[in-house]
Amino acid sequence: MNFAPHSSLREAEVNDTGCSGSIALEEWLRWGCVSPVPAMVNEIIRDLKLLENNIDAHMVFGGNGGKLQGDFKVQEDKKHREKYLALGDSDKKFQFFSARQIACRLLGSRGYLCQKCWLPMEDCMCSKVEPCSLWNGIRFWLYMHPKDFLRQNNTGKLLWQVFGVQAAILCLYGISEDEEIMWNAFKDAGKARVCCLYPNQNIAPKTAQDAFSSQSSADLECTHSLEQAKFVWGEEDLPCISLAVGASAMHKLRPQPSWDHTCTAAAAIGVLAELQLLPEYSSYGLDKQAEAVEDALIVLLEALTARRLRMGRSITRKVRHSRNIC
């Protein structure tokens, strides 16, 4: 990794892993993933390396999202737009979009971000996060948009940092290898054992306490993706669980659409805390598990705050302006 003084631009490391810079399984797993290396991600990386050789320009990345920069970006934009338009199927187009996002983020983050906490090496917070065992009656699935993958202020990563990758499993939206693992697990468990912790404006939500106290955990039914749920279970109008949580600590740094929205880690804290209040779940130490995630969230907030102060950036949450149109 080559850094220019006082610059956030960085060249991709693609020559030290063989196979024209392809992602090896060991590297893929270190980022928190559990699936095989996505074939399309490696295909895109090989195409990027081939283009780099053909035009004699280095891949240069900048910013937190691993975005291509400079002359190479101009040439690559033309190539990937041509390929995208040539894909007739909408699902294939989104899979290509997801794989390209992830490929660029991986290449732009090599040697720059810690593979466990997704923060720059100099800000690594791993030593301050205390692991904790999650009650084996619960498993979290993090259904993550590719634009959130490797984001420094992403809070979903805290769940597998605290509970481990088998208790909090990452599934990248649009990556077929990830989707297959998650939906097969849901199918094996049965829809009555899958709960969706995400707002759905088309369905009247239930609180965690209402849902779990009014019926056994084997009677709950929710989903993460309506289309996939219909394919797996033949139904798409499934309820979601809503939480009575306030604004998370991350609101201080990261803008949300509104103050009643919260981050992924805070949602996990909320559901664990609410379940702890129910007599049938009170003996599983869910309150301690919620505290462990809350402690990790504070560690992340402090690390991000310290970095912003060091770089001379604001640590105040941006206020999104709204217009009233009559």
Side-chain angles (χ1 to χ4, degrees), residues 2-28:
N2 298 320
F3 294 93
H6 309 295
S7 174
S8 60
L9 297 181
R10 49 193 179 272
E11 292 186 11
E13 291 183 354
V14 293
N15 297 317
D16 57 352
T17 58
C19 301
S20 300
S22 298
I23 303 297
L25 179 60
E26 183 180 1
E27 178 184 356
W28 177 247

Side-chain angles (χ1 to χ4, degrees), residues 83-99:
K83 186 168 184 177
Y84 179 84
L85 293 173
L87 297 171
D89 185 86
S90 59
D91 287 340
K92 290 182 179 179
K93 284 185 174 181
F94 186 73
Q95 289 171 3
F96 175 76
F97 164 82
S98 297

Side-chain angles (χ1 to χ4, degrees), residues 219-282:
D219 293 329
L220 295 174
E221 47 184 36
C222 294
T223 187
H224 284 65
S225 168
L226 296 182
E227 291 184 6
Q228 286 285 357
K230 188 174 183 179
F231 175 77
V232 172
W233 293 314
E235 297 183 30
E236 62 179 25
D237 190 16
L238 299 174
C240 295
I241 291 178
S242 178
L243 296 172
V245 297
S248 78
M250 288 299 294
H251 274 277
K252 298 176 181 178
L253 288 180
R254 192 177 74 178
Q256 295 282 0
S258 64
W259 283 100
D260 60 347
H261 288 208
T262 194
C263 66
T264 302
I269 294 168
V271 73
L272 292 173
E274 290 190 21
L275 289 178
Q276 175 65 29
L277 299 176
L278 302 177
E280 57 267 44
Y281 296 99
S282 61

